[in-house]
Amino acid sequence: MEKKPEGVAVKKENGKMIASVFGDIDHHSAREIRLRIDSEFAEGDVTSLVLDLSGVKFMDSSGLGLILGRFSKASAAGASFGVINPSESVRRVLDIAGAERLISIKTEGNAK
């Protein structure tokens, strides 16, 4: 079975940075995704960091670490942080970890 590529596309506008992650987030991909997000974030003037996880179908504990680490980085810089559009399986990982006690998790569009 061929593995789909992982990555992240970043869009910045008026202080808001949206990092759209696609593919699986596991121990093989998390480092590269984290480095790209952190690099873009460090370029400055980000007041809000949002991770769009609509393109992620699988996430393990490495993905949870990626998300919580970006939350910590954003908080330390005084920026707001949130996650949008997690798939059901990703949402399950976030729910089990109790992530919503720390971070905003929303489904845009057709909310269930």
Side-chain angles (χ1 to χ4, degrees), residues 24-96:
D24 296 345
I25 307 177
D26 57 23
H27 70 279
H28 295 292
S29 63
R31 182 177 184 271
E32 182 179 318
I33 294 168
R34 175 180 49 82
L35 291 173
R36 173 75 196 287
I37 292 170
D38 288 355
S39 173
E40 293 282 346
F41 186 82
E43 289 180 6
D45 294 339
V46 176
T47 57
S48 174
L49 173 58
V50 176
L51 299 186
D52 182 346
L53 302 182
S54 59
V56 177
K57 299 301 176 222
F58 172 81
M59 180 179 87
D60 65 11
S61 61
S62 300
L64 185 61
L66 173 100
I67 292 167
L68 295 176
R70 295 329 93 220
F71 163 72
S72 294
K73 192 173 241 355
S75 295
S80 64
F81 179 83
V83 169
I84 59 172
N85 303 321
S87 67
E88 284 185 38
S89 64
V90 170
R91 183 66 188 232
R92 205 170 307 120
V93 172
L94 295 169
D95 288 347
I96 289 168

